[in-house]
Amino acid sequence: MITISRTLLQLAALGSVGAVLPAAASPYADSAAGVGTSLGNTMTASATAARPRDAEWMKLKHTPTGQLFPLPFAMPKADEIRKMASGWEYSGQLEFGVIGGDADERSAQYRTYSDPDNGALLNNFTLTLKRPAGGHYLELQGGAAGRNDQYYGLEFGRYNDWKVKLFHSETPHVFTNRYKSLWNGVGTGNLTLVPGLTAGGTASTAADHAAVAAAAAANSGAELSLTRERTGIRLDLSLTRAWKAYVGYALEKRVGARPIGVVWGNAGGTAPMDIPEPVDYETEDIMAGLLHADGLNVFNLRLSASIFRNNISTVTFEEPYRIAPPAGVTTTPATGAYTQGRMDLAPSNQAYNARAEYTRRFPEFYKSSLTAVVSAGTWRQDDSLIPYTTIPNVALANVTLLPGGGWDTTGSLSRRTADQTIDTRLADLTFAINPTSALNLKAKARFHETKNASDPFLAVNPNAVYLDADATTAGPQTRGLTLDGVTGVWGRILNDGSGQNILLGTNATPTGNIPVRSNIYSSKQSRFGPTADYRLDPKTNLNFAYERENIERTRRERAKTWEDRTKIGFVSRALQDATVRASYEFATRRGSAYTASTYDPAAFSSAIFPLPTTAGANVNSWAVRTNNAFRAFDLSDRDQHTMNVRLDTMIRPDLDAGVSFQIKNARHPDAAYGRTQNDQRSLNLDLNYQPSAQRNVYGFYSYQQGRYRQTTIPNANAAVTIGLATPLGTVTPQNAIAIGAAPGGPIFPLVNTWDADSADRNHVAGFGLRQDFGKASLHVDYSYSIGRTRIDYAYTVGGAVNAANAVLAGARMPDLATDIGYLDASLRIPLTKVFSARLIYRHQKETIRDWHYTNVDAAPVVRGANANALPTALPLDGGPQDFTVGWYGVMFQIKL
Amino acid sequence: MKFPSSLPPLRLALAASGFAAAVLVTSIVANPKPPVPALNNGAEYVGEAICIACHQPQNTQFTHTLHANVFRLNPKNEQEKISCEACHGPGSNHLKDPVSPSNRSSLVGFTREWGTPVALQTAMCQSCHAGAGQTFWDGSVHATNNLSCSDCHNPMAKLSSGGLLKKPSINETCYTCHQQQRAEFAKRSHMPLLEGKMTCVDCHNPHGSTTKGMLKADSINETCYSCHAEKRGPYLWEHAPVRDNCLSCHNPHGSNHDKLLNVARPFLCQQCHGNAQGHQSTLFNAGGAIGGGGAPSTRIFGRSCQNCHSQVHGSNHPGGARLQR
């Protein structure tokens, strides 16, 4: 241990050269659980590829599939391994240098996930120590010291006995560099308008427009970003030959801001604007496990916890326009008093899980085995709820607030904390048996449940009384609202009082579609079926699988769906120089009766106030749920074909090729409206050529095509009145809902039908080269990616689109287009036995044409012709920005 | 820590204890011993010094691997002590005729050229690598496709920082077969795999899993929550398809659209919300917002529907029924 301590001191000294933190590889996670399996950044692949290869390695070999094994890196021979007097052997390297050129480019597309600024750079370092006597070791790695994509790892322990891993890794995420902030306090939960803007606006909307435009121009080009920092430690122990244990902890912090839309304005539905949402997250992940394997038995136990904290749970923002109180809201507060709003951000939450896995082999009984898995978890959040608004004195017509019931107080809430819980359970059982040496049979069964154990949230102000004068009863009255035993006002004010959504909102026309309580969604999934794998000959297998999946859901349009999947597969190495893998799956999903209404009727005011029956009463808000021929694509019937074929072939001993393609077709036969079709195609070609230890050339090309088709009928928003004559019959209280929801009825006239066809096409091509010139070596990677999405639509002029607008709308959207080019070239020149130089050139470009942001950056105040009307929106995020950069680097490598 | 009533700590502890006890009893009663395959036609072990005498370059590489360090510096059993032959089997027959192709059965090899049946290769690896992350190898998609361990791993050389992969990184290794996913990661929006900040194994267990897609967690959403814990909720106002399956809207491998979305907004949202009151199912370019110079609709530019319904993953605001706050 004394020796280890000395080594650590030496490491600390080395680390002080360029690394702030110590740290190793795949630190926290393993292939079974957890995240955090990578330490590196955008520079790592290039630096790795530049490492010299081992020219003495045995002649080219192929994997069992037939792909060339890459040549290993040159490693020190036994007599070249450096040793200390203490018996520790060590090796390592350090690469540092400087980057110049366009690396300071600020485009969000360029900077997301990497931080390649100009200037000095400690690009990477590694150090490995081991002491053969005792089998102790220590491995250190890191890179990009001081930058936002830096990473460090430290692993030490005793081989085959115990090990400790620590790591720290940072990932920048730039959401936009074209943001125009109207607020001070970006990154905090309190956004106040910059000077020149007035909270609640002025008497002149036209002047507010000008002020907003000026402020946006003055504050343009801002970056909204965050950095994800993850730090962790993990201990692995071999307890006995058969038993192992591990425990790990990781802390992740995300700090920064990102754009988010927030709606504001009259009636709560106009003038949305992009505000900077603050992000200050902390997630603690704790994991511990016990592993057992003895040849016949395998047992794994894992306990995990994930504690997420949002340190900024709300964001309050001032708004720069003056709005009048919406209909149904009295003049208190006065016009101009709506100065701010507040959003509730992601709630802090906790998740716990326990999972046990057991496998028992029965080698004497047809080489069979039984595997069982049980897992149970719970997700919880109990954040304190905030009041409906920060605006004081919001009052609704004919609603009497009792003492303590103000909408800006928690007295207006039906409960004070969220109190939400979802429990998960999993049971999985597999029995495998080999009746003959060529046949393997399995039976599988799985059950998974996501059960929301929460009580619905009631949208009711328990400290208010509604003086009702409904359409059928003359004179004021107090409606005794007793749903779920609560009395009060049903519904809620919208968006900080800029709108309201109350059961009898205007005190004149009752409505049936006001959300009065939340829906509680749960699901149960069961899956079972047999598989068979038959060996036709020593190199050829045929496999078959059938699976039935049942899913039961609460509060969805369909209570139960079931899907049958049948799959056959073929794998053969019998071809002399090739391996073929092919599979085909046919899946059919069907389900129970489909109720087009998305939500449980009990969640709406229609559960409290029945559908009016008097002649002439407009029952639109009761009748209109959904076009009853519309199907949500995750629940609708589906027929799906999937075919995968892959061929790996050794064209020559030094040249291998791979060809693969996938065809996937999905149709939704019961969906007259909604998503009706989804197709995917993919073709991939690969070549890898290693003619010598000094040269490696590769190339690839992929083509992908995706297609989604959908059809819908816009709601005509027509009245459905009792006694109305329609093509589907005269509306009565009994058939009102059926007629209202029927395609071809007054609400969904067929002439309004439109459909859309969204087609993605992508090409990705690349090639690379490694060439050694004596001691120097050149490495080049190049790729180019083209993405296009074309969206066509069709409609009847005069239906979904009127004649005047049809001239403007045409038949399609402009193409969404992305072009991404990447070139990385690196020339490594050894200067001495331990000192090398590496010259790097990188070229990157990206162009994006996205109609979502056409003209948005130039015109952040979107408004109609009336200069005195509120804006349509304030899209303050200008969207993606093209970039083209070329930068070079001079790096120096020192081999320890 | 407060557990929900359906998972009382005592019941959970009893169940776990009972499960563990059953495992232990089974283990003891069965007196298990690892199966020893009859290898290499009854050959005998010769020791690694004999192997190295001919295979010097291989030894140079092998010396730097975890395998070598375990076998040579701290072996825990007889199998590990024999080093090379721990994986290749006893080598005496190989010594008799090391070059003849007809004598390939004298050793277990892990290359195409050597020709050892994949099942035997796998059995050799699993004689040590059983359980833990490899528990569900049998029946996995990779096993069904008859992959050998050495289709992904090179146990003889240290190319990767961990895992003895055949390529320097996890992603490069996976891309050798999964070119479709490599192409998807090259699209406009993608997770940070190309940038070296994430690997396929953050979500998938290539050695097998009880979850479709070889996912590491019990479900798709639980996989996503392992990085996106803020989306876990549960929220006061939930969005049903979001709770059901993140992939209803997102393609985690990459997309032509913002935020890994499957389809451009608002068309994506309208694949479910083509109905009900008001504006949901309108063809929003009808005013020629983009193509013809008309007044843009709030629902077409920027984040489209999420300009207003920004809390699309769920809202914890009491007035958030429409996912606006």
Side-chain angles (χ1 to χ4, degrees):
Chain A
M1 294 305 294
I2 293 173
T3 307
I4 289 177
S5 300
R6 282 177 184 161
T7 304
L8 287 173
L9 287 173
Q10 291 167 348
L11 283 173
L14 176 66
S16 66
V17 173
V20 179
L21 295 171
S26 60
Y28 172 70
D30 55 34
S31 67
V35 294
T37 55
S38 176
L39 283 180
N41 62 18
T42 187
M43 302 287 285
T44 304
S46 168
T48 304
R51 290 176 61 185
R53 301 281 171 157
D54 183 356
E56 298 180 13
W57 181 246
M58 57 183 173
K59 65 178 182 180
L60 294 175
K61 299 289 184 184
H62 294 80
T63 67
T65 290
Q67 298 174 343
L68 281 161
F69 274 113
L71 216 56
F73 298 118
M75 303 297 270
K77 297 178 180 175
D79 57 355
E80 296 173 335
I81 296 173
R82 312 277 298 264
K83 297 175 182 171
M84 293 188 275
S86 57
W88 284 83
E89 300 174 350
Y90 68 95
S91 63
Q93 63 83 37
L94 178 71
E95 183 177 81
F96 59 93
V98 63
I99 288 175
D102 303 328
D104 284 339
E105 163 67 37
R106 306 312 299 176
S107 166
Q109 279 60 48
Y110 174 70
R111 304 201 74 81
T112 289
Y113 309 144
S114 65
D115 189 22
D117 281 330
N118 287 336
L121 173 66
L122 175 59
N123 195 23
N124 59 72
F125 58 89
T126 62
L127 178 66
T128 300
L129 298 102
K130 72 178 176 186
R131 190 175 65 165
H136 293 97
Y137 72 99
L138 183 149
E139 294 177 353
L140 172 72
Q141 65 168 302
R147 300 200 173 200
N148 282 344
D149 55 355
Q150 62 188 336
Y151 62 94
Y152 308 95
L154 172 67
E155 177 179 329
F156 59 92
R158 187 179 185 216
Y159 292 117
N160 217 14
D161 194 358
W162 61 273
K163 63 186 173 189
V164 175
K165 296 178 175 181
L166 301 98
F167 80 103
H168 177 83
S169 181
E170 298 184 8
T171 306
H173 192 141
V174 181
F175 297 95
T176 178
N177 65 311
R178 304 174 89 184
Y179 186 67
K180 304 164 192 68
S181 181
L182 306 182
W183 295 273
N184 291 317
V186 174
T188 74
N190 187 25
L191 302 174
T192 56
L193 290 167
V194 297
L197 298 178
T198 304
T202 68
S204 168
T205 302
D208 290 341
H209 285 322
V212 168
N219 296 284
S220 63
E223 177 180 294
L224 295 182
S225 63
L226 61 81
T227 301
R228 186 186 284 250
E229 300 179 12
R230 191 169 175 84
T231 306
I233 183 171
R234 172 169 166 149
L235 166 67
D236 285 79
L237 277 174
S238 289
L239 304 173
T240 69
R241 179 183 168 187
W243 289 89
K244 297 178 180 175
Y246 64 89
V247 59
Y249 170 82
L251 171 64
E252 180 179 288
K253 292 186 177 183
R254 278 177 278 173
V255 178
R258 63 185 166 202
I260 188 172
V262 56
V263 66
W264 186 260
N266 248 352
T270 56
M273 52 191 178
D274 292 329
I275 65 168
E277 176 191 354
V279 176
D280 187 355
Y281 298 163
E282 288 182 351
T283 307
E284 292 180 276
D285 291 317
I286 305 159
M287 189 164 63
L290 190 63
L291 311 171
H292 173 87
D294 60 21
L296 290 180
N297 300 280
V298 168
F299 170 64
N300 306 316
L301 174 67
R302 184 172 75 228
L303 306 173
S304 60
S306 173
I307 315 296
F308 168 77
R309 284 188 296 276
N310 188 350
N311 294 320
I312 303 176
S313 59
T314 65
V315 57
T316 303
F317 55 92
E318 292 182 336
E319 64 85 24
Y321 283 96
R322 176 154 300 179
I323 64 167
V329 177
T330 67
T331 53
T332 303
T335 296
Y338 290 93
T339 57
Q340 64 177 22
R342 181 163 58 177
M343 291 191 77
D344 198 283
L345 305 178
S348 298
N349 65 72
Q350 308 85 42
Y352 308 97
N353 183 266
R355 178 183 170 102
E357 305 163 349
Y358 177 62
T359 295
R360 166 71 181 175
R361 294 181 185 277
F362 304 96
E364 308 298 329
F365 184 70
Y366 299 103
K367 295 181 180 177
S368 59
S369 65
L370 181 68
T371 299
V373 179
V374 292
S375 174
T378 183
W379 311 332
R380 304 171 58 81
Q381 74 95 359
D382 197 19
D383 257 16
S384 296
L385 298 182
I386 59 175
Y388 289 90
T389 182
T390 62
I391 307 294
N393 303 319
V394 172
L396 307 180
N398 291 323
V399 173
T400 301
L401 293 176
L402 301 175
W407 295 100
D408 61 332
T409 71
T410 54
S412 63
L413 303 176
S414 59
R415 64 172 179 252
R416 303 298 172 91
T417 64
D419 194 18
Q420 297 292 303
T421 300
I422 289 179
D423 296 330
T424 62
R425 294 177 182 82
L426 167 72
D428 190 291
L429 200 63
T430 301
F431 179 69
I433 189 167
N434 295 275
T436 74
S437 60
L439 179 63
N440 174 272
L441 300 174
K442 291 187 180 70
K444 299 182 176 184
R446 173 188 163 97
F447 172 79
H448 183 259
E449 180 178 17
T450 301
K451 181 180 181 182
N452 192 326
S454 315
D455 291 328
F457 175 74
L458 307 177
V460 57
N461 184 337
N463 291 304
V465 175
Y466 185 75
L467 300 177
D468 178 34
D470 67 46
T472 57
T473 305
Q477 60 192 273
T478 300
R479 181 169 292 279
L481 302 173
T482 57
L483 185 69
D484 289 337
V486 179
T487 60
V489 171
W490 287 92
R492 81 285 192 229
I493 62 168
L494 281 173
N495 302 335
D496 292 282
S498 66
Q500 51 84 29
N501 206 190
I502 301 295
L503 174 57
L504 300 175
T506 61
N507 196 32
T509 307
T511 49
N513 61 352
I514 304 296
V516 296
R517 75 175 194 190
S518 64
N519 280 287
I520 301 298
Y521 303 110
S522 296
S523 65
K524 293 180 185 175
Q525 176 203 55
S526 60
R527 210 158 59 204
F528 53 88
T531 72
D533 192 344
Y534 182 66
R535 196 172 66 238
L536 295 172
D537 63 50
K539 294 185 176 180
T540 305
N541 283 51
L542 193 62
N543 56 71
F544 166 86
Y546 166 77
E547 182 178 83
R548 158 61 72 100
E549 179 183 75
N550 299 321
I551 302 180
E552 296 177 41
R553 303 174 176 89
T554 61
R555 313 292 184 198
R556 293 298 309 273
E557 296 90 331
R558 219 167 194 181
K560 185 175 181 179
T561 60
W562 52 89
E563 184 159 16
D564 295 296
R565 305 185 185 109
T566 305
K567 184 176 183 178
I568 56 172
F570 175 77
V571 182
S572 177
R573 301 170 195 273
L575 297 171
Q576 184 177 358
D577 296 319
T579 298
V580 179
R581 294 185 171 94
S583 68
Y584 167 76
E585 182 186 86
F586 176 60
T588 56
R589 182 175 67 198
R590 298 293 184 266
S592 56
Y594 193 99
T595 305
S597 172
T598 307
Y599 302 103
D600 181 355
F604 286 90
S605 50
S606 56
I608 301 170
F609 195 95
L611 183 144
T613 58
T614 53
N618 184 2
V619 298
N620 179 298
S621 62
W622 282 264
V624 180
R625 289 287 183 272
T626 282
N627 165 354
N628 62 19
F630 197 100
R631 297 290 180 268
F633 62 81
D634 61 332
L635 301 171
S636 61
D637 290 356
R638 184 176 65 187
D639 296 333
Q640 182 168 286
H641 306 261
T642 306
M643 183 165 70
N644 285 288
V645 177
R646 173 166 187 84
L647 171 72
D648 285 285
T649 179
M650 299 175 286
I651 297 173
R652 298 173 12 153
D654 55 4
L655 174 65
D656 68 54
V659 182
S660 66
F661 69 89
Q662 181 189 67
I663 298 174
K664 190 172 185 178
N665 294 339
R667 300 288 183 275
H668 300 266
D670 69 333
Y673 303 93
R675 181 190 291 179
T676 57
Q677 176 181 342
N678 172 214
D679 296 336
Q680 306 288 330
R681 306 272 190 280
S682 176
L683 171 68
N684 308 282
L685 308 170
D686 262 62
L687 282 173
N688 186 21
Y689 180 45
Q690 287 185 222
S692 69
Q694 288 73 39
R695 182 180 300 164
N696 180 199
V697 181
Y698 73 85
F700 64 87
Y701 169 74
S702 290
Y703 171 73
Q704 293 189 352
Q705 177 182 318
R707 186 178 194 187
Y708 291 87
R709 301 191 72 171
Q710 63 194 90
T711 303
T712 193
I713 307 178
N715 182 336
N717 209 22
V720 181
T721 54
I722 302 299
L724 177 71
T726 77
L728 304 177
T730 300
V731 175
T732 67
Q734 290 72 37
N735 68 13
I737 290 177
I739 289 179
I747 301 296
F748 299 108
L750 296 179
V751 70
N752 281 5
T753 304
W754 62 272
D755 58 56
D757 185 347
S758 175
D760 293 339
R761 283 178 176 76
N762 290 79
H763 304 266
V764 183
F767 70 86
L769 165 72
R770 180 182 58 79
Q771 175 67 54
D772 294 347
F773 305 97
K775 293 183 177 178
S777 64
L778 174 69
H779 185 271
V780 177
D781 280 314
Y782 175 78
S783 67
Y784 201 87
S785 170
I786 298 171
R788 298 286 183 274
T789 297
R790 172 176 171 145
I791 301 175
D792 293 280
Y793 41 71
Y795 50 85
T796 301
V797 176
V801 182
N802 64 36
N805 282 339
V807 175
L808 298 172
R812 56 183 287 202
M813 306 295 289
D815 280 359
L816 289 160
T818 305
D819 289 73
I820 302 172
Y822 175 89
L823 169 69
D824 184 278
S826 166
L827 178 64
R828 181 179 175 277
I829 307 168
L831 303 175
T832 71
K833 194 173 181 179
V834 298
F835 194 64
S836 301
R838 189 162 71 96
L839 308 177
I840 307 171
Y841 177 72
R842 183 172 291 187
H843 180 85
Q844 287 177 258
K845 67 161 285 191
E846 185 166 341
T847 58
I848 297 179
R849 297 289 169 267
D850 186 342
W851 44 259
H852 291 92
Y853 292 96
T854 299
N855 297 326
V856 163
D857 193 43
V861 180
V862 180
R863 62 178 178 81
N866 183 355
N868 292 313
L870 287 173
T872 303
L874 298 181
L876 299 170
D877 175 7
Q881 185 178 37
D882 299 346
F883 72 87
T884 301
V885 302
W887 59 257
Y888 51 85
V890 180
M891 295 288 149
F892 298 98
Q893 298 176 334
I894 299 174
K895 190 164 68 173
L896 301 178
Chain B
M1 182 188 308
K2 183 184 172 186
F3 276 81
S5 57
S6 53
L7 288 174
L10 181 58
R11 197 183 305 171
L12 196 64
L14 285 174
S17 303
F19 192 87
V23 170
L24 285 171
V25 168
T26 307
S27 168
I28 293 167
V29 170
N31 188 24
K33 292 179 181 175
V36 180
L39 287 173
N40 307 351
N41 300 323
E44 296 179 350
Y45 294 103
V46 299
E48 70 169 341
I50 301 293
C51 306
I52 293 170
C54 291
H55 297 283
Q56 195 57 247
Q58 288 89 328
N59 183 55
T60 297
Q61 288 293 330
F62 183 65
T63 298
H64 298 276
T65 66
L66 180 61
H67 278 153
N69 290 322
V70 165
F71 293 166
R72 293 171 178 171
L73 305 185
N74 192 23
K76 288 288 184 67
N77 55 46
E78 293 304 313
Q79 185 184 4
E80 292 175 354
K81 284 178 183 173
I82 55 180
S83 196
C84 308
E85 291 164 293
C87 302
H88 294 287
S92 61
N93 287 346
H94 174 65
L95 284 179
K96 296 173 187 171
D97 180 6
V99 295
S100 171
S102 63
N103 195 34
R104 292 284 165 81
S105 62
S106 63
L107 278 184
V108 176
F110 297 89
T111 63
R112 174 94 179 192
E113 285 77 8
W114 198 262
T116 298
V118 166
L120 180 55
Q121 294 178 38
T122 305
M124 288 304 296
C125 299
Q126 289 185 325
S127 65
C128 290
H129 296 282
Q134 289 82 26
T135 299
F136 304 103
W137 173 256
D138 290 338
S140 69
V141 173
H142 283 166
T144 304
N145 275 287
N146 214 4
L147 261 71
S148 164
C149 303
S150 58
D151 274 317
C152 302
H153 298 275
N154 182 345
M156 291 293 293
K158 184 175 182 179
L159 279 93
S160 57
S161 60
L164 292 179
L165 299 171
K166 71 175 179 182
K167 292 273 192 175
S169 70
I170 293 171
N171 298 342
E172 290 173 275
T173 303
C174 299
Y175 294 157
T176 58
C177 288
H178 297 281
Q179 295 101 332
Q180 181 176 329
Q181 282 69 37
R182 177 183 60 196
E184 288 173 338
F185 286 119
K187 291 180 180 177
R188 168 187 171 181
S189 64
H190 59 267
M191 293 199 197
L193 280 84
L194 301 180
E195 291 79 4
K197 288 296 181 186
M198 189 177 174
T199 78
C200 309
V201 177
D202 278 322
C203 300
H204 303 278
N205 182 351
H207 303 119
S209 157
T210 56
T211 309
K212 271 193 177 295
M214 305 178 94
L215 294 176
K216 291 164 77 172
D218 289 348
S219 67
I220 290 168
N221 282 24
E222 287 174 70
T223 305
C224 302
Y225 299 151
S226 58
C227 283
H228 302 282
E230 78 279 7
K231 305 288 193 300
R232 189 166 49 209
Y235 293 94
L236 208 60
W237 302 95
E238 296 255 304
H239 189 182
V242 171
R243 176 58 66 198
D244 267 358
N245 190 343
C246 302
L247 305 192
S248 295
C249 301
H250 299 282
N251 181 344
H253 294 138
S255 165
N256 282 359
H257 312 290
D258 198 16
K259 311 293 183 197
L260 295 165
L261 294 173
N262 291 325
V263 180
R265 295 175 286 194
F267 298 96
L268 173 65
C269 305
Q270 291 176 319
Q271 290 191 353
C272 283
H273 294 280
N275 51 66
Q277 288 275 356
H279 57 270
Q280 300 174 15
S281 53
T282 302
L283 178 57
F284 286 118
N285 202 34
I290 305 301
S297 164
T298 310
R299 288 101 180 191
I300 200 81
F301 56 70
R303 278 170 285 279
S304 300
C305 305
Q306 277 70 61
N307 288 332
C308 299
H309 304 280
S310 45
Q311 302 287 37
V312 69
H313 296 106
S315 171
N316 221 43
H317 191 288
R322 302 297 188 198
L323 308 179
Q324 293 174 321
R325 277 288 191 271

